[in-house]
Each structure stands twice: as C-alpha cells, then as structure tokens.
Amino acid sequence: MLPRIPSLIFITLGSSRSFAPKPQHTPNKRTSRTSPGDIIGRPSLLVAAVHADFDDGTISNSGDSLLDEVDLADVPVTEEIPVPNSRNNVGNRFFALVYDRTHSDKWADGDAEALWDLHEERTSLTEDHVMWARKQNLYNETFNTESMADILWSHQLLSSDTLRAIGHAMCIDSPTVDLCREAMSRDPIIRSLLGTDSAGDCDVSSIPLYRWRQIRDHTLRIDDGRDGTPTMMIAFDRSEAAADGLRDDVFEDHLEYLIRSERVVATGALHVATEKKTDKKSIPVGELMIFNAVGRDDAIDFVENDPSALAGLYETMTVHGFNSLDVTGKFVSENLYFKRETYQMKEALEYWGYPTEDHQTKWLNW
C-alpha cells in the first residue's frame, strides 16, 4: 500500500486593493486535488476534484462520483517540447547594483532620518517595481514584443540590522548593454532615485552595471534556504589584482572551498560591462555570491575564510540579507512581500493580455 499523499491546495484570493482596469469576474473558490490512501492492483490514475466555498467553509464534491478512475494505458502519450531559451538569453548576463543613499540627494546632508525616508519611499514603490519587472518578462511572439531584457531576479537589500531596505540588486539577461540600461531606465525605483529630464527620460549611467559570469555547475546551485537563510556577498578586487594574476592563482582553491561548503546558491565573477563579452577590456573586477547562512556572523565567517579573501584578492567585501521579490510573473507561489496583492497582480496582467501561464512563457522556468 502506498502512504497517504497530502492534498495540494491552489487558492485564488481577492483583496480590497485593485489594479485598474480589473477583470469583471474574480474567482471565489479553491480547488484541491487529492489522491486516495490505498491503491491496489495495476497502476491507475485517480483524480478527485473538490471545491471549497469561502463563504461558509464547507466542501462539496464537484461531480456525481468523487473518484474517476482512468487506466494509464488509455492516457495518450504527449511529447514534451524542450523549454526554449528566451530571445534575450544570448550569453549576456548583467548584474545591476542600486544603493539608495548613493543615488539620492536626500542623503547629501548626512541626516540619519533621511535613511528612513529612503526606506519608506522604496517600500512604497516596491509593488510598482515588481509589476515593471513582470511586464519585462511576460511577452511572446505577438505581445509585448518590445521587451528586450529579462529580469531574472530582483533582491531587496537589507541593512545589517534587517530593519531597513537600502537598495536592490538585479540579474538581467539582455542582448546588449544599451538595451539592458534602457530597461533599467523604466524601473520605478531607479526613476525615483535619479529623477527624469524634461522629456521624461532617466539617465541610468551612474548605476553600476557588470557582466556576471555565473558558474553553472550544479554543485554551486544549492537550493536557497537550505540549512540557512539566503545571503548575498558582493566583493570588489584590489585595483592591482588584474595585473598580479592573484585571481587566477587562487581560483582552484576558491572553487573547491565553495563546492565543499554545499551552501552556494549562485556565484561567479563580475566583469566590466563591455558591449561584447569577448572584449579583452571585460576584465574581472569582483565577485557575486549568493549562499545560505544561519546568521550574519556565520555569513561573515564563511566569506572571510574564502581562499580568495585570505589571499588578499578583495579590496572590499559586503554581506547583505535580502528579500527576494517574485518578479518572474509565473505566480507559482505567494509573494511573501505582497501576500494580498499577488493574485490581483495576476488577474490584472491577464486582463491586459500578458501571457502568464507556463505554456505561454516556458523560458521563464529558470
């Protein structure tokens, strides 16, 4: 006998907050797909559809029979089409780093209260930032075809005491540097920090942008949140590091250290963002690493004992906790930052015609 399998609940929620225009009909039900506790005999597929009414909390069957048995031999075989690459995934992966106090005039006087003002302003625009990123990502052959940059992830960087949001870091796939920056110029948070000219354009040339050469080996793609909290380390090399060859000298020891740790989610060197990645001027200037840590002290201890750090490769090293924002637009899970608005975002995007389903945007299943 097979053990009982917990049912999966898919919930569509409403909220008093809306995005205009809003669809006329808002689903007010949830569907639970369950499996029986005992399956005996030849393999078979048993499906039970159960609907719950939110008004009274009761559960009723959706058909005359709770279980409809279908012999697997009668189920037609379908060929899975390989997930296509995004048209923007052409080997150009960029990393943008936005620190609020670096780019805002509010910090010019050094007023500590200005930091909280920046935090409040960023928080108020985070929802708009998420929607901007999702609109960048949700396109197909006939819709939103002008989008030439995919926002793979956007992480809201936190202060050391985790009380304030102090910036955000983004991973962006785009065919060119200019197209990447053009997409960044529409980010509501960046526009708020830098301002716009009389034509409504935003100059983002002051935002640090690097080529990120992520190491794709599976040993350095551990699940985030496993044995700790995802943490980001951003390090920049000493100015003379490129000339003395230290990065190459310690690379193997550095790589072995990361692999043996079994805690690295993503890592790779940051390079100068030249137009072509083969340009010799695209030299490494630093390191980006996302890894799991049980606390700030553990995170600092881990990065300080990296052979690259011990050898003196880095000029600066910064460790950040962060909030991961759900910017893919696939709505595979609730956004912890916007629990109430997650499903209204999907409804609004669907109403506007954005392709939010898996079969419409397969390239987003990264």
Side-chain angles (χ1 to χ4, degrees):
M1 294 185 181
L2 297 175
R4 180 172 295 277
I5 303 173
S7 60
L8 300 177
I9 306 296
F10 301 91
I11 306 174
T12 301
L13 301 177
S15 170
S16 59
R17 190 170 186 177
S18 63
F19 296 87
K22 184 179 178 183
Q24 296 297 319
H25 174 65
T26 300
N28 190 30
K29 65 182 179 180
R30 63 181 177 182
T31 302
S32 171
R33 186 167 294 177
T34 61
S35 298
D38 301 324
I39 302 178
I40 305 175
R42 64 183 181 178
S44 61
L45 180 65
L46 298 98
V47 179
V50 180
H51 297 287
D53 188 332
F54 280 174
D55 293 335
D56 57 12
T58 59
I59 298 178
S60 60
N61 297 340
S62 61
D64 296 334
S65 174
L66 179 64
L67 298 178
D68 297 322
E69 184 170 348
V70 179
D71 195 320
L72 287 181
D74 298 331
V75 177
V77 176
T78 58
E79 182 180 356
E80 287 293 332
I81 301 175
V83 176
N85 285 329
S86 163
R87 66 181 178 198
N88 297 326
N89 182 8
V90 292
N92 293 324
R93 180 155 294 180
F94 299 100
F95 173 72
L97 183 60
V98 183
Y99 285 122
D100 293 353
R101 69 181 189 181
T102 301
H103 301 287
S104 174
D105 293 337
K106 292 183 178 180
W107 177 245
D109 297 332
D111 184 2
E113 292 185 5
L115 296 177
W116 285 103
D117 292 339
L118 289 172
H119 163 77
E120 294 294 340
E121 185 172 351
R122 165 172 286 277
T123 301
S124 68
L125 290 171
T126 300
E127 186 176 308
D128 293 333
H129 169 78
V130 170
M131 288 293 282
W132 159 78
R134 286 176 170 175
K135 289 178 180 180
Q136 282 290 140
N137 291 332
L138 298 178
Y139 58 84
N140 57 25
E141 294 81 0
T142 59
F143 184 82
N144 196 23
T145 56
E146 72 279 4
S147 177
M148 295 302 295
D150 296 341
I151 315 300
L152 273 65
W153 48 256
S154 179
H155 297 327
Q156 186 183 67
L157 303 178
L158 303 176
S159 59
S160 58
D161 58 9
T162 69
L163 296 179
R164 292 180 292 106
I166 61 174
H168 66 287
M170 294 185 290
C171 180
I172 306 172
D173 275 358
S174 186
T176 69
V177 173
D178 288 342
L179 288 172
C180 180
R181 289 195 179 277
E182 194 275 333
M184 291 166 53
S185 71
R186 295 195 299 271
D187 180 350
I189 293 178
I190 291 178
R191 292 175 67 87
S192 174
L193 289 170
L194 300 181
T196 58
D197 59 23
S198 58
D201 297 326
C202 179
D203 181 4
V204 297
S205 58
S206 62
I207 300 293
L209 185 66
Y210 308 92
R211 284 189 176 275
W212 184 34
R213 304 205 174 183
Q214 182 180 359
I215 301 175
R216 305 298 183 92
D217 191 89
H218 72 279
T219 57
L220 297 174
R221 302 186 74 173
I222 302 299
D223 294 338
D224 57 345
R226 180 188 295 183
D227 300 326
T229 303
T231 306
M232 182 180 297
M233 187 275 291
I234 305 166
F236 291 102
D237 299 357
R238 293 183 294 108
S239 57
E240 62 271 20
D244 61 23
L246 181 57
R247 172 174 283 275
D248 292 336
D249 292 342
V250 300
F251 178 74
E252 290 188 5
D253 291 339
H254 163 75
L255 191 62
E256 181 179 359
Y257 176 77
L258 300 187
I259 293 174
R260 289 186 179 276
S261 73
E262 296 184 346
R263 60 161 73 186
V264 177
V265 178
T267 189
L270 298 174
H271 288 244
V272 175
T274 54
E275 190 59 41
K276 295 183 178 180
K277 64 180 179 180
T278 56
D279 192 327
K280 293 182 179 180
K281 294 181 180 179
S282 184
I283 61 174
V285 294
E287 200 83 25
L288 169 64
M289 178 167 59
I290 300 175
F291 60 98
N292 295 316
V294 296
R296 183 168 177 79
D297 290 341
D298 177 52
I300 293 174
D301 180 71
F302 175 65
V303 300
E304 287 184 342
N305 283 283
D306 184 331
S308 293
L310 294 175
L313 174 63
Y314 305 130
E315 181 75 27
T316 62
M317 301 174 67
T318 308
V319 171
H320 289 291
F322 61 84
N323 292 325
S324 181
L325 303 176
D326 179 11
V327 299
T328 65
K330 299 308 287 282
F331 302 93
V332 294
S333 63
E334 284 192 353
N335 189 315
L336 297 181
Y337 201 85
F338 298 114
K339 289 184 179 180
R340 294 173 55 194
E341 286 82 5
T342 294
Y343 293 98
Q344 280 208 338
M345 283 185 180
K346 182 176 183 179
E347 290 173 2
L349 288 169
E350 288 177 334
Y351 181 85
W352 293 325
Y354 284 84
T356 62
E357 302 299 333
D358 277 349
H359 69 277
Q360 298 171 308
T361 55
K362 291 186 176 182
W363 62 86
L364 286 175
N365 296 324
W366 44 66

